[in-house]
Amino acid sequence: MISDALDRFNIENTGIADRTPLAVLVRDPETCQVVGGLTGRTSLGLFFLDLFYLPPRLRGGGLGTEILQQAETEAHARGCRTAVLYTITFQAPGFYRKHGWKRLGEVPCQPPGTSRVFMTKELTAPAGEPVRSG
């Protein structure tokens, strides 16, 4: 309800109605149950990466990189040129840095010595895709 009301307010003030969920999901091949993936949204030229999780058994083999690239490619196709996220110091800031994300800042949180790390990335056309202007 609050999100929808804020979206209507934004549309009234920008004339742009483009808030769209974005998800890249990983399913167990036997049960078809979602076991991980990425969720976010695109809006007003920004890709907001909200949640990204893979079970430990699926980490380290390139699947995370593939999921992130798929999401960034889709966001770019939707007209987004910038992406934003936050992670926590014990989660994945190194993973995102490795993929071209830059630190915007940090805000301390619990437990002591931990911070939320806010990051951004300029999205570019994937190799072989023409750059659209306009």
Side-chain angles (χ1 to χ4, degrees):
M1 178 175 173
I2 294 171
S3 178
D4 292 338
L6 181 58
D7 192 42
R8 285 190 301 275
F9 175 83
N10 290 346
I11 293 166
E12 290 169 8
N13 283 277
T14 65
I16 302 169
D18 70 346
R19 183 181 71 159
T20 307
L22 192 156
V24 180
L25 304 177
V26 177
R27 294 182 185 275
D28 180 287
E30 293 178 14
T31 65
C32 294
Q33 295 293 315
V34 173
V35 295
L38 176 154
T39 63
R41 65 194 181 285
T42 56
S43 177
L44 302 176
L46 291 175
F47 166 39
F48 296 89
L49 193 162
D50 293 327
L51 302 170
F52 192 174
Y53 175 79
L54 284 176
R57 73 182 188 283
L58 296 178
R59 297 176 193 166
L63 181 59
T65 296
E66 182 181 330
I67 291 167
L68 185 60
Q69 289 173 343
Q70 285 180 19
E72 290 175 5
T73 298
E74 175 60 22
H76 187 271
R78 294 181 186 185
C80 296
R81 297 300 174 259
T82 306
V84 294
L85 64 80
Y86 77 80
T87 186
I88 301 175
T89 50
F90 62 80
Q91 290 177 336
F95 171 80
Y96 294 112
R97 270 193 300 277
K98 183 174 96 172
H99 292 90
W101 291 72
K102 307 255 185 269
R103 181 184 163 279
L104 282 173
E106 291 187 26
V107 177
C109 64
Q110 294 297 323
T114 302
S115 294
R116 292 194 187 264
V117 181
F118 293 81
M119 303 182 86
T120 188
K121 181 177 182 178
E122 296 303 313
L123 301 177
T124 58
E129 180 181 305
V131 177
R132 291 180 264 167
S133 61

